[in-house]
Amino acid sequence: MGKKKKDTMELRFYEVPQNEYVLALLGDSWIRDYGHDESNLHFHNLMEIGYCKHGTGELILNEESKPYEPAMVSIIPQNYPHVTISDSDSGPSFWEYLFFDPMVMIQELYPDNPVVQKKILQMVNQKALFFHEWENPGVSVLVKMIMDEMRQKKKRFHECVRGLMTALFAELLRMCENDIAEDEIRKKTGVSQITPALEYVRNEYANNIRVEELAKASHMSETHFRRVFESYMNMSPMDYINLMRVQKACDIMKKTNDSMDVVAQKVGFTTTSTFNRNFKKYLNTSPYQWKISPENYERKLLNYNISALKGW
């Protein structure tokens, strides 16, 4: 089973349901032939935890191929390129997933300390983790308990999930701290070259961002950075920045009644007219019309050069 070559990446958006800590993708609908109808690596706006219940294949993490089998756990950071490819000879695989925003957990664990929050977020987003259940039974048990709580949704399941997620995130921090020295010396290749730029945009989208700053974060000249970025993302750095701003604007409009002027300012557009122009570019409608019918987000979001999808 050879490594599958990837040239560009797909951006997939997920949303944690309101008043919950995780989005759980569970059940028989996730028994499928993974990867055979895909041409690209993809990455998510949320952290992904996967548990393999059945099947074999390979999990490509950035440009490293890892074989998988039942009772294996994957923990994949935000903005981390990956794809699952099931073994066609052994039939469909069965994975179940949890998605969550690590910053929510970080802010609860380290309130009123933005410096520590930023440091922790960078640490947990630094590398993907992939292991057999028996290699880390504590984490594996917590993952399965959270999945069971989300599957059954018994009385007080919100409180149970909150406690379990806190314990799971603490275990994740331990794992990351153990691996950080190795990760710091690992040479970055392939799409991981632009991961610092993707992280920079995710953290600073509301501010004025220059391409020169993204190149510096990725330790490249600006000319080389532009070439590498466009080869993987199939869009310019500035288009990606504005795409992220539009996505964040959609989140704000769903959750607040802020005026369009305020939304534009919150996500980093200098003028409302610039916000309107970019919103229409990506969604083919105005912010006002989108807010009236937010289901357009599900159907149209970011149908641009990069294939940005609303989940699977």
Side-chain angles (χ1 to χ4, degrees):
M1 182 162 49
K3 180 180 171 182
K4 192 176 181 181
K5 179 175 173 58
K6 306 293 175 184
D7 295 318
T8 59
M9 292 188 288
E10 293 176 350
L11 171 60
R12 294 178 177 175
F13 289 103
Y14 286 99
E15 291 179 295
V16 176
Q18 193 169 3
N19 300 322
E20 294 191 8
Y21 279 81
V22 297
L23 168 68
L25 304 183
L26 311 170
D28 292 347
S29 61
W30 298 99
I31 302 174
R32 57 179 64 183
D33 290 317
Y34 286 89
H36 299 293
D37 58 348
E38 299 177 11
S39 59
N40 298 312
L41 292 162
H42 66 268
F43 61 98
H44 302 292
N45 59 316
L46 299 176
M47 179 167 278
E48 171 193 303
I49 298 180
Y51 180 77
C52 181
K53 303 187 74 171
H54 174 77
T56 59
E58 61 180 332
L59 180 61
I60 298 178
L61 300 168
N62 191 6
E63 295 194 335
E64 187 176 5
S65 177
K66 300 278 192 178
Y68 73 76
E69 60 186 13
M72 296 193 75
V73 177
S74 62
I75 303 177
I76 302 176
Q78 299 165 300
N79 295 329
Y80 198 96
H82 64 283
V83 69
T84 304
I85 305 174
S86 54
D87 188 347
S88 56
D89 295 333
S90 63
S93 294
F94 186 7
W95 283 82
E96 292 189 321
Y97 298 96
L98 300 173
F99 288 89
F100 70 99
D101 184 348
M103 183 53 82
V104 172
M105 303 305 305
I106 293 169
Q107 288 173 339
E108 289 204 356
L109 290 170
Y110 305 97
D112 304 320
N113 197 332
V115 174
V116 171
Q117 290 173 6
K118 184 175 181 179
K119 181 178 179 181
I120 294 295
L121 184 65
Q122 290 174 340
M123 182 174 68
V124 298
N125 278 333
Q126 194 166 349
K127 67 175 291 186
L129 303 171
F130 188 48
F131 50 90
H132 286 88
E133 184 175 342
W134 54 264
E135 293 179 282
N136 198 320
V139 169
S140 303
V141 167
L142 288 168
V143 169
K144 290 192 291 184
M145 288 178 69
I146 294 168
M147 288 181 171
D148 286 343
E149 286 289 343
M150 294 301 296
R151 193 188 328 272
Q152 299 170 17
K153 293 192 174 180
K154 296 178 181 178
K155 187 176 180 180
R156 301 291 183 184
F157 82 93
H158 290 101
E159 291 87 340
C160 289
V161 169
R162 178 181 180 179
L164 292 168
M165 282 297 300
T166 300
L168 175 61
F169 197 77
E171 289 291 342
L172 174 59
L173 294 184
R174 285 178 175 171
M175 295 180 70
C176 291
E177 288 167 348
N178 290 338
D179 292 336
I180 197 167
E182 175 188 347
D183 193 69
E184 286 176 347
I185 64 173
R186 180 176 291 127
K187 183 179 178 181
K188 292 185 176 181
T189 59
V191 293
S192 66
Q193 296 174 88
I194 63 172
T195 298
L198 300 178
E199 286 295 302
Y200 192 97
V201 173
R202 190 181 61 78
N203 291 324
E204 303 293 336
Y205 67 89
N207 300 317
N208 181 35
I209 301 176
R210 294 178 298 154
V211 177
E212 177 186 356
E213 295 167 341
L214 301 182
K216 184 177 180 180
S218 302
H219 305 289
M220 301 181 201
S221 69
E222 185 174 339
T223 301
H224 183 57
F225 171 76
R226 287 181 183 273
R227 184 167 57 249
V228 172
F229 191 96
E230 292 182 16
S231 71
Y232 284 109
M233 302 300 289
N234 200 26
M235 65 188 340
S236 72
M238 286 309 302
D239 279 337
Y240 179 77
I241 292 168
N242 288 330
L243 181 151
M244 289 294 98
R245 288 171 172 162
V246 168
Q247 189 267 327
K248 294 295 184 180
C250 290
D251 288 343
I252 292 173
M253 287 191 291
K254 278 186 174 182
K255 298 172 183 176
T256 73
N257 291 316
D258 289 345
S259 69
M260 296 308 163
D261 291 342
V262 171
V263 173
Q265 184 179 20
K266 283 184 174 180
V267 300
F269 287 111
T270 55
T271 65
T272 305
S273 61
T274 304
F275 171 47
N276 291 337
R277 183 172 65 252
N278 279 278
F279 201 97
K280 187 172 180 61
K281 174 180 179 180
Y282 295 113
L283 298 185
N284 197 32
T285 189
S286 70
Y288 176 75
Q289 289 297 325
W290 182 92
K291 187 171 178 63
I292 293 174
S293 303
E295 64 271 11
N296 288 328
Y297 183 65
E298 310 281 343
R299 206 166 52 247
K300 298 179 182 177
L301 180 58
L302 312 181
N303 187 19
Y304 192 57
N305 288 338
I306 187 172
S307 180
L309 306 178
K310 179 73 173 184
W312 263 286

